[in-house]
Amino acid sequence: MECETFEARLNEALDAALDPALDQQWSRHAEACPACRQLWRGYETLLAAAARLRSPLPNRAWTERVVEAVNQVLQHPADLPQPAVSYATGAGTTRTRSWSQTAAWLAALAAGLLVAVWGLTRTSQAPVELAESRPAPATGADPSAAPRSQPPTSLREVALLVPGLAASIESDAQPTATEAAGRDWTADLSNGLKPLAHSTSGALDLMLGALTSVESRGGMPDSY
Amino acid sequence: MLETSPTSAKVTAVAEELRTEDLRAIIGRCLAGEETARRELVEHFQGAVYGLCLRMLGHAQDAEDAAQETFIRAFRSLKSYDVQREFRPWLLAIAGNRCRTMLAARRGARQAGPLLVEVADDAPAEAGVRQLAEELRLALSGLREEYRQAFLLLHEQHLSYAEIAEQLGCPVGTVKTWVHRARQELVRVLRERGVVQESRDGMRNV
């Protein structure tokens, strides 16, 4: 065996990984070659020192802490997240997943979606309901019996669409003795719901102005 | 078997492999809920687990946390452990996963702590033995991290090349290269320090 081969196989010899035949050649060369023998003894010294290494250990308090933690976990397994995969194969993900937490998030998300859909559904149904309650457009020849084809433009007209309220409004439309002496509240209410063309500070003046104009006309406005 | 050092609160683990049937008996008792069995299992493998974590993380506090988490996860997964497999590699695989998770989380935010190297003190305290141990510790601290890690996992933690490769996430050939280069560098330093001698006597008798 040459010195070059001896050195190339050195680590295999240290790991006791040489096959028997090669091991014999290797040993004979080590005995015969001073330089290679010196090289070998240096490594032997190193490995002898390494063999005396002892794994550092934590203190006893750590051991007690670990045992206590293990006992607590096994008594209350629901308190900690379950591992995502089994370690039986020695391989696994480094991340664990809490199935209970995932289920809770999904439930909350589903509830939020249901609320959103419900809200949208109610909003979209409101104009449909009004449209359905609105009388069908007239197709016949009797104009006096035909229902309204135009959408309501005032609060009073909307209120007239409500069956029970229509009669009350009609009766209210007739001036009472008090109203004849004063103002018509339905007109005032209608006027008050018009979009304000003035600032809010003038809104009261606007309303009071409307009340005064009705009073000056002595009753119901001409629009009714 | 554990021995408590009279000078400190640290326990000294005497390397003693459990027979397969004894280990299975302990695991069976653990699964039955016996707390003393859990303690036995922890005390027997705490050296291997903590040592691996320490060599992978380079920080004693992190190693304690990772080792504790390893045992908790191991006991919680004990029901799914295949008794036909060796328990130690299975446990060390969990430890390696925990260490890699911590390494990924900190990404160099924490610097490695001082290199902890302990030598068996069960032999007579010869001056040469102590000096060699100290010289080895100094030489190890000067190695590249991957060389030192591979060397200690092999010679201190007694993992195989395949186990080291699995823990460090690299090929077996790479681990062998790291170990060989570590040896080469350590011998060179020890020779420069005059620790390694040519003669048959002296420092060779350790």
Side-chain angles (χ1 to χ4, degrees):
Chain A
M1 178 179 285
E2 302 292 331
C3 295
E4 193 174 312
T5 306
F6 180 89
E7 190 170 345
R9 297 285 189 164
L10 185 61
N11 281 288
E12 288 180 65
L14 291 171
D15 293 334
L18 289 174
D19 62 80
L22 192 60
D23 186 55
Q24 285 186 359
Q25 296 178 29
W26 203 87
S27 298
R28 283 198 293 270
H29 183 85
E31 291 176 2
C33 177
C36 289
R37 184 169 61 248
Q38 178 184 359
L39 181 67
W40 171 243
R41 286 178 180 166
Y43 278 86
E44 276 191 322
T45 303
L46 169 64
L47 261 62
R52 295 182 53 76
L53 290 174
R54 290 293 178 264
S55 178
L57 288 173
N59 54 32
R60 183 167 284 281
W62 177 88
T63 305
E64 296 301 321
R65 198 162 58 242
V66 170
V67 173
E68 184 179 342
V70 166
N71 290 335
Q72 281 189 353
V73 163
L74 294 180
Q75 287 176 1
H76 305 283
D79 291 345
L80 288 181
Q82 297 291 329
V85 295
S86 163
Y87 287 102
T89 59
T93 63
T94 57
R95 179 177 302 178
T96 60
R97 190 181 309 126
S98 167
W99 294 111
S100 61
Q101 290 179 347
T102 303
W105 277 109
L106 288 175
L109 183 62
L113 287 173
L114 282 174
V115 170
V117 170
W118 177 76
L120 289 173
T121 302
R122 281 183 58 85
T123 304
S124 64
Q125 279 183 351
V128 173
E129 290 173 358
L130 287 177
E132 289 175 350
S133 64
R134 192 180 309 160
T139 55
D142 186 359
S144 62
R148 296 177 61 85
S149 60
Q150 299 293 330
T153 57
S154 68
L155 181 63
R156 185 171 184 278
E157 291 177 355
V158 172
L160 287 173
L161 294 175
V162 182
L165 190 56
S168 174
I169 290 176
E170 290 301 333
S171 64
D172 287 345
Q174 301 301 321
T176 62
T178 304
E179 287 175 344
R183 53 186 171 81
D184 182 357
W185 64 272
T186 56
D188 296 337
L189 184 60
S190 178
N191 288 333
L193 289 178
K194 288 180 181 176
L196 295 177
H198 307 279
S199 65
T200 54
S201 60
L204 184 60
D205 293 337
L206 182 66
M207 292 173 65
L208 291 177
L211 293 175
T212 303
S213 64
V214 171
E215 286 181 298
S216 65
R217 287 197 294 272
M220 297 180 59
D222 294 338
S223 61
Y224 288 156
Chain B
M1 181 173 65
L2 301 177
E3 297 174 354
T4 304
S5 167
T7 58
S8 71
K10 287 192 175 184
V11 296
T12 305
V14 178
E16 193 174 299
E17 289 295 327
L18 278 176
R19 294 183 306 171
T20 303
E21 50 268 31
D22 293 338
L23 179 59
R24 287 181 182 175
I26 293 175
I27 293 174
R29 288 161 53 206
C30 289
L31 290 172
E34 206 175 300
E35 291 190 6
T36 52
R38 294 172 194 162
R39 176 180 294 276
E40 287 181 38
L41 209 59
V42 170
E43 289 179 341
H44 190 81
F45 289 101
Q46 64 180 355
V49 171
Y50 176 75
L52 174 64
C53 294
L54 181 64
R55 294 312 174 205
M56 286 187 70
L57 298 173
H59 194 277
Q61 183 69 49
D62 288 350
E64 286 186 356
D65 294 342
Q68 176 172 329
E69 186 64 25
T70 296
F71 279 109
I72 290 174
R73 289 174 180 269
F75 276 99
R76 292 182 64 246
S77 305
L78 204 56
K79 289 182 180 178
S80 59
Y81 162 69
D82 182 6
V83 293
Q84 300 303 321
R85 288 180 47 123
E86 289 190 34
F87 183 78
R88 187 168 175 271
W90 177 79
L91 184 63
L92 293 183
I94 299 174
N97 284 338
R98 301 314 312 146
C99 292
R100 280 187 290 276
T101 300
M102 292 182 72
L103 286 170
R106 73 183 192 195
R107 284 292 178 216
R110 190 201 292 269
Q111 295 296 324
L115 178 65
L116 298 177
V117 174
E118 295 186 5
V119 180
D121 56 1
D122 52 348
E126 298 175 356
V129 172
R130 288 183 178 177
Q131 184 183 359
L132 180 58
E134 180 61 22
E135 293 290 345
L136 178 58
R137 189 187 71 79
L138 289 173
L140 282 167
S141 62
L143 282 181
R144 279 176 59 174
E145 186 176 346
E146 54 267 28
Y147 295 177
R148 179 175 61 248
Q149 226 177 30
F151 182 88
L152 288 173
L153 289 175
L154 180 70
H155 290 288
E156 181 195 73
Q157 301 301 322
H158 307 292
L159 269 65
S160 66
Y161 283 115
E163 289 173 334
I164 296 171
E166 183 180 347
Q167 296 299 344
L168 300 183
C170 59
V172 174
T174 302
V175 174
K176 286 185 176 180
T177 299
W178 287 349
V179 170
H180 299 168
R181 289 181 180 172
R183 289 169 175 169
Q184 191 176 22
E185 182 66 17
L186 289 170
V187 168
R188 184 189 68 77
V189 172
L190 293 178
R191 277 213 174 98
E192 288 178 357
R193 299 280 298 171
V195 176
V196 173
Q197 297 180 2
E198 181 183 356
S199 65
R200 290 176 178 275
D201 304 322
M203 303 304 284
R204 191 166 176 271
N205 297 324
V206 293

